[in-house]
Amino acid sequence: FTGKQWLKLLYDYSHFQAAGENLATSLSLLLPFTALISIKDGRPAADGKGFERLLPGDGTVDYLDYYRRLVRARWSGHTVVEISGQIH
């Protein structure tokens, strides 16, 4: 993204969570390039195959930690809750 000030991303931790990445690392690396945050929750599927997408608070994301990190980073952008067909 260097030199591309007009190019921003939508940060959705659930994709990193499904890949086994931690919040602190992915957020610190990508927040400077983020225009919008989308939140939904998740956890490994009960059968051990795949990843289950859930509404915020129903999975394993620690939203208190998440938002404390955003406050410390002085995030002032928008956050949306994503509800999709993947959840149902």
Side-chain angles (χ1 to χ4, degrees), residues 9-41:
L9 57 88
L10 180 149
Y11 177 81
D12 181 345
Y13 174 60
S14 71
H15 296 276
F16 297 98
Q17 180 188 29
E21 301 292 333
N22 73 45
L23 174 68
T25 302
S26 63
L27 189 61
S28 67
L29 290 172
L30 297 173
L31 195 59
F33 309 104
T34 299
L36 178 68
I37 292 174
S38 177
I39 61 171
K40 61 182 173 287
D41 218 326

Side-chain angles (χ1 to χ4, degrees), residues 61-76:
V61 174
D62 181 346
Y63 285 99
L64 184 56
D65 176 54
Y66 195 156
Y67 279 89
R68 282 183 176 157
R69 290 178 186 282
L70 292 175
V71 168
R72 282 194 301 270
R74 298 177 192 238
W75 170 254
S76 61

Side-chain angles (χ1 to χ4, degrees), residues 73-86:
R74 298 177 192 238
W75 170 254
S76 61
H78 296 282
T79 302
V80 298
V81 175
E82 181 179 346
I83 301 173
S84 73
Q86 293 176 327

